[in-house]
Every structure is written in C-alpha cells, then in structure tokens.
C-alpha cells in the first residue's frame, strides 16, 4: 500500500471518528435534556379510595406501566380529550 493510500485511509478514519464523537456528544446532550425535563415534573399528593387504587393498579399492570405512569397517562388523555371539545 502506498503512502498516499495510507494517508487517504487515515483521513477517512479521522472523519468517521469525528462523526462518531459528534453523535456521542448529541446523545449526551439529549440524555441531559431528558433528565432535566424529568426533574421539572411537579409532585402532588393524591388520595384515592382503595377500590379506585386497585382498579388503577390492575389497569397499569395490564398496560405494563407503573401506577404513577398510568395515572399520568389517564390525566394526559383526559386533557387531550377536553382540548378537542
């Protein structure tokens, strides 16, 4: 392999490495933004009857969600429906 071919391969590899590093930096940036967004969620105390809790827990299990995620999903859907009207 000639010296010119080696230089060409090195340049291509350097370009690939630069692209990979840029992609990694973007992934880290997106991950950090997602974590910040999660921190921005509001907390509230919600009191539910045991029967309602059990119904939501069963529904959450059917949908492979946590109870908290199920409640958030249901509230989001209710707000979406309200906005449609």
């Amino acid at each position: 392999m000639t010296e010119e071919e080696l230089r060409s391969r090195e340049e291509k590899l350097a370009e690939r490495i630069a692209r990979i590093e840029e992609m990694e930096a973007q992934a880290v940036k997106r991950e950090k933004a997602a974590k910040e967004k999660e921190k921005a969620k509001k907390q509230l105390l919600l009191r539910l009857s045991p029967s309602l809790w059990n119904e939501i827990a069963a529904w959450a299990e059917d949908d492979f969600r946590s109870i908290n995620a199920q409640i958030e999903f249901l509230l989001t859907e209710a707000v979406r429906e309200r906005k449609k009207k």
Side-chain angles (χ1 to χ4, degrees):
M1 190 172 285
T2 68
E3 212 171 296
E4 188 175 312
E5 290 172 332
L6 285 174
R7 258 189 254 119
S8 175
R9 279 186 154 188
E10 285 178 356
E11 288 174 8
K12 287 179 184 177
L13 286 173
E15 288 172 6
R16 286 182 184 168
I17 290 170
R19 281 193 306 248
I20 290 170
E21 288 172 347
E22 178 61 30
M23 290 167 61
E24 287 176 341
Q26 289 173 359
V28 168
K29 203 181 229 185
R30 283 192 304 270
E31 189 175 305
K32 189 175 181 180
K35 284 181 183 177
E36 288 299 316
K37 188 176 180 181
E38 284 297 312
K39 286 181 185 177
K41 287 188 175 187
K42 304 294 182 188
Q43 295 181 3
L44 71 119
L45 176 62
L46 179 62
R47 298 177 195 278
L48 300 173
S49 68
S51 59
L52 179 57
W53 175 267
N54 290 333
E55 290 294 326
I56 292 173
W59 194 355
E61 190 174 323
D62 290 345
D63 290 351
F64 302 103
R65 291 189 181 104
S66 67
I67 295 171
N68 189 71
Q70 188 71 19
I71 292 169
E72 186 175 1
F73 169 77
L74 294 170
L75 289 170
T76 301
E77 288 299 305
V79 169
R80 234 183 247 142
E81 284 299 314
R82 184 174 186 272
K83 286 182 177 180
K84 285 181 182 178
K85 295 176 181 176

